[in-house]
Amino acid sequence: MPEGSTRTKGALRPIELATASVLGTLAVVLTVAGWFLPHLGIVAAFAVVPLGVVAHHHRLRALIAGAFAAAVLSFLVAGTGTVTNIVECAAVGGLVGIVKRRGWGIGAVAAGVAVIGPVLAAISVGLLAVFDSLRQLTLEQIRNTWKGISRLLSGIPALSGVLNRVNDFVTAAINHWWITVAVLVIGATVWFAILGWVFIGAVLDRLQWIRAQDRLDLDLDRRPPGPLPVALADVDYRYPGAEADAVKGVSLAVGPAEMVALVGDNGSGKSTVTRLLAGRPPTGGRVERPGPAGLGRPGGTAMILQHPETQVLGVRVADDVVWGLPGGQDVDIAGILRSVGLGGMDDRETSALSGGELQRLAVAAALARHPRLLLSDESTAMVDEAGRRELTGLLRQLPDAHGISVVHVTHRPEEAALADRGYRLEAGTVVAEGPGPVIAAQQSAPAVPGPGLAGLGIASVGSARPAVLELTGVTHTYGVGTPWARTALHDVDLSVRPHEGVLIVGGNGSGKSTLAWIMAGLLRPTFGGCLLGGEPVRGQIGAVALAFQHARLQLQRATVARDVRAAGAPDEAAVAGALTAVGLDPEEMGERRIDTLSGGQQRRVALAGLLSRRPSVLVLDEPMAGLDARSRDGLVDLLAGLRHRHGLTVVVISHDLGGMEKVCDRVVRLGDGCIVDDSTVAAAGI
């Protein structure tokens, strides 16, 4: 069975609900488009494909849930006619999806259609017989469809006799509507089955490399949560489809009301250990705890991921804090938001929050559930320096003030030093344990100098044309014309000279990421303009390369090598050179699947892809977030080389200022969307 379909009992899992809802919505879009667009009714038939994919990847109940939701939504949008299409596509798509999943042939589909077609026909005729108004509407639609077709063909004199005979046939068909409807439904069932067999197979072949993994894959144990004390005893874990264990022989323990730090280089297995603590069953060894982990349940386990946008569901900040909690539960939303540095932001739209603000919101939502165990996976990575101190101080207080145990994954020695105890991981195993300050003192080895950039296969990384980036009077407002309108940038004037290194700093919410997207031409400012070489940057997409704050968002292929090649590397030698340039071994990493990489490794792969395109300007939004000390040093050296030896213009947006003097000689400070200072690195004290 496809990955994600191994469990055959119990309630629908989150991954099943998510897949069914997304693909069910796609089916609604196709159905409604085919229903309303003239002469494009065939589009509606393609709704069989997403519903068939649901049946192929998950249990029948997931298809039923998705089809029911799609039918309700289509009825609300376009009435009863579209519901018929959804039901028929779900039945036929489900048949084809299950047949393909079980490896049966087209004969099984034909046999299924022989049963489904007459059944759907009988149901349709019965409904039309009972509901007179629905019958009249359906017959009128058939009549009008033919009128439209006949008008298109009436201009052809040779067809006049044929049209008259067809008019008589249509009239007779409407008079004997029960036969007509039955034939149309059976015919549509056969047509849907043919489309489904061809296109569902094509889609499944295309999606072979996409493994819909539930990274938590929890047991649905509904007993009262009992997450503590928890002990991992000689635990192994291997992700489905992986060739090696992500962690092996790990033993560690977390007791009540204590703070435990997990440290280690990127790819050492820290995030995998947090998932095991959150309730994911190991593939070897055992996890001992008095009850279920109770992830997301009051009194259970709460988890803050590396990428907080994956946890934000509410439209407003206040809504997100209580999302999923039982109705009527008393939650001090304002107090929780104040405790994480989001005081007064109850009514802000979550879509307008910066990365650091999203991190704080994820912490607030976790605290609203009063967990006994809080798992923090690099929760301070996107937060500015002041915010890091506030959040780590808050995490440190939780054991003593609220009896909440905290497991904090971090690369920062000053954060690990706050813990009562700590564990260091290397290559998926625990190599050291002890008091937090002792573990914090065990720094990563210094960065190993790379072979340089010659291996990129590029004569000059930067464009031959001087890169002059000019922003004039740039103002940007999110949600223009709505009650939630918020101006992120105010009248910004900024000039980036050729081959310059510019460091942009400022607190969370100061407008840094908005500025980065405008520089790359991916966001049009509300007022003002951004020019590259005297021409609008929006007409030169790619000339300014943007490394996203969350690297996973710009990785679009299954494996590392394929992603770098798709990003612009001209050949395999250039792929190897780009990976080597960012500190990744092409032989070891080239065939690694993107979703098996740590956050830091994904960041370096994204950077390799950007470099392979030979941009004029490289803009990096929080490039150091989630990197261990060795990787940070290596990235700093790489950026310095790109600028000083290869003439690339570099703009870095970062809260992590360590080593930035090697890359940048100018600092621009933002505050409340305005430039409040523009000076040299020396003058800024960096």
Side-chain angles (χ1 to χ4, degrees):
M1 295 177 72
E3 196 169 326
S5 305
T6 54
R7 182 174 294 159
T8 58
K9 297 180 180 179
L12 288 173
R13 291 176 292 149
I15 194 170
E16 292 177 305
L17 287 171
T19 304
S21 62
V22 171
L23 294 182
T25 302
L26 177 58
V28 173
V29 171
L30 293 170
T31 296
V32 173
W35 197 257
F36 286 109
L37 294 177
H39 314 300
L40 286 178
I42 189 174
V43 173
F46 281 96
V48 72
V49 176
L51 294 171
V53 172
V54 175
H56 180 272
H57 280 73
H58 300 294
R59 294 172 292 169
L60 181 60
R61 67 181 65 184
L63 172 65
I64 294 172
F68 178 79
V72 172
L73 181 58
S74 64
F75 174 77
L76 295 174
V77 172
T80 56
T82 55
V83 174
T84 303
N85 189 79
I86 290 290
V87 171
E88 189 158 9
C89 286
V92 178
L95 169 66
V96 175
I98 292 172
V99 166
K100 285 186 173 292
R101 186 179 71 202
R102 296 183 179 278
W104 298 337
I106 195 171
V109 174
V113 168
V115 175
I116 291 175
V119 170
L120 291 176
I123 293 173
S124 300
V125 171
L127 290 174
L128 294 179
V130 173
F131 298 103
D132 181 70
S133 58
L134 178 61
R135 181 174 71 252
Q136 296 302 324
L137 179 63
T138 302
L139 297 180
E140 188 65 24
Q141 184 182 18
I142 295 174
R143 187 180 291 110
N144 290 335
T145 299
W146 168 243
K147 285 181 179 179
I149 295 173
S150 63
R151 286 175 182 172
L152 289 175
L153 300 177
S154 61
I156 305 174
L159 295 180
S160 59
V162 175
L163 291 177
N164 289 332
R165 287 193 294 273
V166 175
N167 279 329
D168 294 338
F169 176 79
V170 171
T171 300
I174 291 174
N175 291 334
H176 298 82
W177 63 267
W178 55 92
I179 299 176
T180 302
V181 169
V183 170
L184 288 176
V185 171
I186 292 174
T189 303
V190 174
W191 170 236
F192 287 178
I194 294 172
L195 282 179
W197 183 260
V198 174
F199 287 98
I200 291 175
V203 169
L204 292 174
D205 290 341
R206 186 71 175 171
L207 297 181
Q208 278 291 328
W209 62 273
I210 299 179
R211 298 177 179 176
Q213 292 185 14
D214 184 342
R215 287 276 176 164
L216 292 173
D217 193 25
L218 305 181
D219 290 325
L220 299 178
D221 190 337
R222 304 312 298 174
R223 292 179 298 158
L228 293 173
V230 58
L232 274 60
D234 202 26
V235 162
D236 305 333
Y237 188 78
R238 179 175 299 189
Y239 288 101
E243 297 180 357
D245 290 335
V247 296
K248 187 172 183 63
V250 168
S251 296
L252 56 82
V254 181
E258 67 170 345
M259 183 176 182
V260 176
L262 293 182
V263 300
D265 291 345
N266 295 125
S268 61
K270 303 184 301 298
S271 293
T272 301
V273 170
T274 61
R275 293 186 180 108
L276 294 168
L277 292 172
R280 186 161 195 169
T283 52
R286 65 186 188 279
V287 179
E288 301 172 349
R289 54 167 65 92
L295 183 64
R297 295 166 58 188
T301 301
M303 191 170 185
I304 310 163
L305 302 176
Q306 287 181 343
H307 305 302
E309 74 279 359
T310 62
Q311 296 181 261
V312 174
L313 299 172
V315 175
R316 298 184 313 134
V317 167
D319 297 334
D320 192 76
V321 172
V322 297
W323 186 277
L325 289 175
Q329 183 166 327
D330 186 23
V331 178
D332 181 11
I333 297 175
I336 291 175
L337 291 175
R338 281 196 303 272
S339 71
V340 298
L342 297 178
M345 298 175 63
D346 310 46
D347 292 325
R348 281 274 298 276
E349 278 196 274
T350 55
S351 61
L353 299 181
S354 68
E357 289 167 337
L358 288 172
Q359 285 281 27
R360 301 184 193 210
L361 179 56
V363 176
L367 294 180
R369 283 147 178 81
H370 304 291
R372 292 186 60 199
L373 175 61
L374 176 64
L375 305 174
S376 164
D377 190 355
E378 293 284 354
S379 64
T380 61
M382 296 295 178
V383 183
D384 56 42
E385 185 176 358
R388 284 199 299 269
R389 289 196 299 268
E390 292 175 5
L391 277 180
T392 52
L394 172 63
L395 295 176
R396 176 59 269 181
Q397 294 172 8
L398 292 178
D400 297 330
H402 302 281
I404 300 173
S405 289
V406 176
V407 176
H408 184 45
V409 176
T410 182
H411 293 302
R412 297 183 175 276
E414 67 273 19
E415 296 179 7
L418 295 175
D420 299 305
R421 297 185 299 109
Y423 296 89
R424 174 172 291 279
L425 282 82
E426 288 183 8
T429 62
V430 174
V431 296
E433 61 178 289
V438 174
I439 291 296
Q442 300 175 5
Q443 299 290 341
S444 295
V448 178
L453 302 173
L456 280 170
I458 301 169
S460 176
V461 177
S463 170
R465 183 174 59 182
V468 180
L469 197 61
E470 293 277 355
L471 288 83
T472 305
V474 167
T475 296
H476 189 74
T477 302
Y478 290 100
V480 175
T482 73
W484 303 279
R486 181 182 70 87
T487 300
L489 293 174
H490 302 266
D491 198 26
V492 170
D493 293 323
L494 179 63
S495 176
V496 180
R497 294 179 291 275
H499 318 310
E500 189 175 27
V502 178
L503 175 63
I504 299 178
V505 299
N508 291 122
S510 60
K512 302 186 303 300
S513 292
T514 301
L515 183 62
W517 281 67
I518 290 174
M519 285 181 169
L522 301 179
L523 188 65
R524 187 191 300 274
T526 309
F527 300 105
C530 180
L531 304 179
L532 176 66
E535 299 293 333
V537 71
R538 281 185 61 82
Q540 307 177 68
I541 300 297
V544 177
L546 173 62
F548 291 175
Q549 197 173 75
H550 305 302
R552 183 63 183 89
L553 298 179
Q554 60 192 129
L555 301 176
Q556 304 296 322
R557 294 295 185 269
T559 64
V560 169
R562 286 179 60 188
D563 195 89
V564 176
R565 183 68 186 271
D571 51 40
E572 296 305 319
V575 170
L579 291 174
T580 301
V582 298
L584 297 177
D585 183 348
E587 294 295 327
E588 177 187 352
M589 301 295 295
E591 296 306 312
R592 283 277 299 276
R593 295 185 63 83
I594 292 295
D595 286 327
T596 67
L597 304 180
S598 69
Q601 290 169 327
Q602 290 177 354
R603 190 174 302 280
R604 284 184 276 173
V605 172
L607 182 56
L610 293 175
L611 294 177
S612 71
R613 301 183 63 177
R614 292 177 284 181
S616 297
V617 182
L618 179 62
V619 180
L620 302 104
D621 192 359
E622 296 294 351
M624 305 302 172
L627 295 183
D628 55 58
R630 181 187 309 192
S631 299
R632 283 200 304 272
D633 292 344
L635 182 55
V636 166
D637 290 342
L638 170 64
L639 296 177
L642 287 171
R643 185 193 162 207
H644 296 301
R645 295 195 297 274
H646 294 266
L648 183 64
T649 303
V650 178
V651 178
V652 180
I653 296 170
S654 183
H655 295 306
D656 193 333
L657 308 183
M660 279 296 118
E661 71 280 358
K662 298 180 182 179
V663 181
C664 303
D665 45 26
R666 179 180 166 200
V667 179
V668 175
R669 187 175 299 278
L670 290 180
D672 294 326
C674 301
I675 294 180
V676 297
D677 186 49
D678 188 344
S679 60
T680 65
V681 168
I686 294 176

